[in-house]
């Protein structure tokens, strides 16, 4: 399989590769590490996960991550010689130019960790670091639900809410590479406190899995996560329904602002909460279409991510392709 992959042109530079065309893609999540070998068509040749255990500190966790990467390479059957670059996705804030993790809230105590320098040292390959939601947007745009679109918004609804934006075919990064924080669009300026940024009434404070579970508990439901609440709402439980309806309402409100702002052709929803599928998407789609300015609301399709749990590694590979590190192979 890898021989077919290495015969494909290197993504990003338009030239044919010299054999080095696949990316070792790594994802540093708050609870899980992931590693995979991804080829230029976005195909994932191997995919391994391990617990992050962030409290062990960056040195030990990264050592385990590099090892997971070596195991993923071995599991893929792709020879080392074909690995052109290392792509790393992680929650921000981070400096994608220098490849340094600044102080990500999901990894307490990790400060100014020079991830790309350490990855380059570990593997002897060029490496890139990107915000995980931005990388996921790149992955969906290059290889997933957003392939072929010029203007696309990606929203990942999970423990927190992250976002990424493609404008005129290019990934939007902002002044320091931390733009596109769509989870912190305000949906109620006097609303619930937002753990992610310290303000009030952010989209994240209502639609994240954390918030859904928290509001369910406030309603007296002994449900533990967003999937339980979604199921109970489907079964007609009035309190679960109230929580779910408020979630739909907040998501539709935030997405309407986002659609008005960017007029995307496509909105892709990923992350655990989006696995509720049409129970979430159908009412949100209807509301955004009705509430957004015309014709933006009609232009925007709202669909579910197609990359699922692999979006982190596919995104990290898309970033390596986008930044052209494959062309140095
Ligand atoms: Zn916030």
């Amino acid at each position: 399989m890898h021989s077919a992959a290495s015969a494909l042109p290197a993504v990003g530079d338009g030239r044919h590769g010299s054999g080095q065309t696949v990316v070792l893609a790594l994802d540093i999540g708050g609870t899980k590490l992931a590693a995979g070998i991804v080829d230029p068509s976005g195909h994932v040749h191997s995919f391994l996960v391990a617990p992050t255990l962030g409290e062990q500190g960056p040195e030990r966790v990264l050592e385990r991550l590099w090892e997971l990467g070596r195991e993923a390479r071995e599991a893929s059957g792709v020879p080392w010689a074909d690995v052109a670059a290392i792509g790393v996705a992680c929650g921000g804030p981070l400096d994608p130019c220098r490849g340094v993790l600044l102080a990500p809230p999901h990894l307490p105590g990790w400060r100014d960790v020079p991830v790309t320098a350490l990855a380059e040292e570990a593997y002897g390959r060029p490496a890139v670091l990107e915000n995980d939601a931005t990388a996921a947007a790149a992955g969906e745009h290059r290889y997933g639900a957003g392939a072929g679109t010029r203007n696309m918004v990606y929203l990942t609804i999970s423990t927190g809410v992250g976002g990424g934006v493609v404008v005129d075919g290019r990934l939007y990064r902002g002044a320091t590479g931390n733009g596109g924080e769509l989870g912190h669009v305000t949906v109620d300026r006097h609303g619930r406190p937002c753990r992610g940024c310290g303000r009030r009434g952010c989209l994240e404070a209502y639609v994240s899995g954390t918030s859904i579970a928290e509001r369910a508990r406030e309603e007296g439901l002994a449900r533990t996560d967003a999937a339980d609440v979604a199921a109970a709402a489907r079964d007609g439980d009035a309190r679960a329904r109230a929580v779910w309806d408020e979630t739909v309402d907040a998501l539709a409100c935030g997405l309407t602002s986002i659609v008005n702002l960017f007029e995307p052709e496509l909105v892709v929803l990923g992350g655990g909460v989006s696995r509720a599928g049409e129970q979430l998407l159908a009412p949100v789609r209807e509301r955004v279409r009705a509430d957004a300015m015309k014709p933006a609301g009609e232009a925007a399709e709202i669909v579910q991510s197609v990359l699922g749990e692999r979006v982190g590694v596919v995104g990290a590979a898309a970033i390596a392709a986008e930044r052209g590190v494959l062309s140095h192979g």
Side-chain angles (χ1 to χ4, degrees):
M1 217 144 170
H2 60 268
S3 56
S6 57
L8 290 167
V11 176
D13 63 1
R15 294 179 301 133
H16 285 273
S18 55
Q20 290 195 324
T21 56
V22 308
V23 176
L24 170 55
L26 307 168
D27 184 17
I28 309 172
T31 55
K32 271 185 295 185
L33 302 172
I37 290 287
V38 184
D39 75 21
S41 66
H43 180 72
V44 180
H45 290 252
S46 60
F47 181 72
L48 299 178
V49 295
T52 304
L53 311 175
E55 68 280 3
Q56 290 182 343
E59 214 166 298
R60 280 186 66 193
V61 174
L62 290 179
E63 210 38 69
R64 286 194 295 109
L65 179 64
W66 310 148
E67 189 51 36
L68 192 69
R70 289 181 198 106
E71 288 167 19
R73 200 284 306 162
E74 205 171 310
S76 73
V78 173
W80 256 122
D82 285 2
V83 177
I86 315 301
V88 187
C90 185
L94 51 79
D95 181 337
C97 298
R98 292 189 303 130
V100 175
L101 267 184
L102 301 177
H106 66 304
L107 297 166
W110 289 42
R111 281 195 164 269
D112 302 320
V113 183
V115 172
T116 57
L118 294 169
E120 287 175 355
E121 198 182 296
Y123 296 116
R125 298 283 190 283
V128 291
L129 173 70
E130 190 69 70
N131 175 286
D132 53 2
T134 306
E140 288 288 348
H141 182 243
R142 191 175 276 268
Y143 303 120
T149 60
R150 284 192 63 75
N151 298 284
M152 189 203 95
V153 165
Y154 175 81
L155 204 64
T156 175
I157 313 174
S158 155
T159 317
V161 177
V165 183
V166 173
V167 177
D168 284 337
R170 291 182 63 92
L171 199 55
Y172 178 80
R173 286 202 174 79
T176 68
N178 291 283
E181 283 287 1
L182 304 178
H184 303 283
V185 164
T186 305
V187 294
D188 178 355
R189 71 190 176 93
H190 300 299
R192 298 175 70 84
C194 175
R195 292 219 184 83
C197 76
R199 294 169 74 229
R200 279 188 178 274
C202 293
L203 187 55
E204 175 171 303
Y206 292 88
V207 307
S208 68
T210 315
S211 169
I212 294 172
E214 199 174 273
R215 285 181 296 120
R217 279 196 301 276
E218 287 166 11
E219 287 287 325
L221 285 163
R223 306 283 175 180
T224 50
D225 66 17
D228 289 335
V229 175
R234 273 199 305 278
D235 292 344
D237 182 299
R239 290 173 302 175
R241 220 177 178 136
V243 172
W244 192 256
D245 288 350
E246 186 179 40
T247 306
V248 164
D249 193 50
L251 182 57
C253 174
L255 268 185
T256 299
S257 293
I258 292 165
V259 164
N260 284 338
L261 200 54
F262 295 107
E263 201 193 6
E265 300 140 66
L266 191 73
V267 175
V268 181
L269 301 183
V273 174
S274 75
R275 288 190 198 125
E278 286 303 304
Q279 188 185 358
L280 185 69
L281 268 72
V284 165
R285 201 180 278 133
E286 194 181 317
R287 281 276 311 279
V288 172
R289 194 150 291 174
D291 294 351
M293 312 275 286
K294 305 286 175 285
E298 276 134 24
E301 284 288 326
I302 301 176
V303 301
Q304 210 172 341
S305 151
V306 298
L307 299 175
E309 62 162 4
R310 298 180 173 201
V311 72
V313 296
V314 175
I319 290 296
E322 210 224 37
R323 295 226 218 137
V325 288
L326 293 182
S327 60
H328 301 313

